[in-house]
Amino acid sequence: MKIICVGRNYEAHAKELNNAVEESPVIFLKPETALIPNKQPFFYPSFSNDVHYETELVVKICKLGKHIDEKFAHRYYKEITLGIDFTARDLQSQLKTKGLPWELAKGFDGSAPLGKFIVLESMQKSIQDLHFQMKLNGEIKQDGHSANMIFSVDKIIAFVSSYFTLKIGDLIYTGTPAGVGPVKKGDHLEAWLEEEKVLSVKVK
Ligand code: MG
């Protein structure tokens, strides 16, 4: 399986990092070894002093497809959750300055904690009408709403599937709202999708 991530998908977040809002989605991949199951710890990597959380809506692909039309994209997912796109911001800034790829800063071991999946149909809401929050040590740090995505989930699926065949079990991290910030050892991140707590990860 592969983990497809979208960068700069919320205008307020693009602005907080002084990035332009792009005309097509910014896409990068993380390897499978980046995943951390819910409630497992994240071990702070030795190569960074500035790891940031990014809380993101995550979509699980349930059907093989390529060149998927946007109007049929909803048939390719049934379950959603929240995940963290941990980012070594110091390393990413160095790579961006040099015009180099981001993989080392974004795809390292443990950089993709993944929450408990919820069946979208059971929520009786559109995937573009979901509220989510992340608390760091009990304090709300990110408060997002999928209505504010620049590229909707269906648009992302249409775009990405014209380059990569989507396979069952592939994950799409759909980008972070504003409010990103650093973590340190001892921190506890918890995230809620609507009313349901779906993610808990401790930094060690
Ligand atoms: Mg992200």
Side-chain angles (χ1 to χ4, degrees):
M1 57 82 69
K2 55 190 171 294
I3 305 167
I4 298 164
C5 304
V6 184
R8 304 173 193 169
N9 201 23
Y10 291 80
E11 194 172 343
H13 169 65
K15 284 185 175 156
E16 76 181 339
L17 294 185
N18 294 315
N19 288 315
V21 173
E22 305 291 339
E23 286 177 10
S24 53
V26 175
I27 302 294
F28 58 95
L29 300 178
K30 292 180 188 250
E32 194 174 346
T33 43
L35 282 180
I36 304 181
N38 190 29
K39 299 179 183 170
Q40 295 296 306
F42 167 69
F43 292 97
Y44 202 103
S46 58
F47 51 77
S48 176
N49 294 308
D50 195 25
V51 172
H52 280 204
Y53 55 77
E54 297 185 355
T55 309
E56 310 195 356
L57 186 72
V58 179
V59 177
K60 189 196 278 181
I61 297 298
C62 64
K63 191 171 153 178
L64 181 82
K66 68 186 295 184
H67 298 296
I68 298 163
D69 194 288
E70 185 184 331
K71 66 177 180 288
F72 300 124
H74 65 274
R75 299 180 182 171
Y76 288 79
Y77 54 86
K78 292 191 186 116
E79 292 177 282
I80 56 170
T81 188
L82 297 174
I84 307 288
D85 167 19
F86 273 132
T87 303
R89 196 71 74 200
D90 44 0
L91 187 51
Q92 188 196 27
S93 297
Q94 291 170 26
L95 294 167
K96 278 165 83 173
T97 306
K98 294 180 189 168
L100 295 172
W102 299 353
E103 273 79 357
L104 295 178
K106 287 278 200 183
F108 54 88
D109 284 356
S111 61
L114 183 65
K116 174 182 74 170
F117 279 95
I118 298 178
V119 176
L120 178 61
E121 204 175 63
S122 74
M123 302 182 81
Q124 300 191 320
K125 284 200 143 195
S126 151
I127 197 162
Q128 299 306 144
D129 185 26
L130 298 174
H131 176 236
F132 57 99
Q133 280 189 326
M134 192 280 284
K135 289 184 187 173
L136 180 67
N137 306 323
E139 187 187 332
I140 296 172
K141 290 287 186 181
Q142 289 197 280
D143 187 297
H145 199 287
S146 61
N148 296 323
M149 286 182 184
I150 297 170
F151 301 100
S152 67
V153 170
D154 291 354
K155 277 199 165 65
I156 293 166
I157 287 174
F159 179 80
V160 162
S161 70
S162 59
Y163 296 84
F164 309 132
T165 298
L166 297 182
K167 296 180 77 173
I168 294 170
D170 285 351
L171 300 173
I172 304 178
Y173 281 60
T174 57
T176 184
V180 302
V183 293
K184 58 183 188 315
K185 288 179 186 176
D187 280 349
H188 185 198
L189 294 83
E190 300 165 285
W192 282 259
L193 180 53
E194 292 287 330
E195 302 305 315
E196 188 157 355
K197 183 176 170 182
V198 294
L199 178 75
S200 170
V201 57
K202 286 182 175 159
V203 181
K204 294 198 170 178

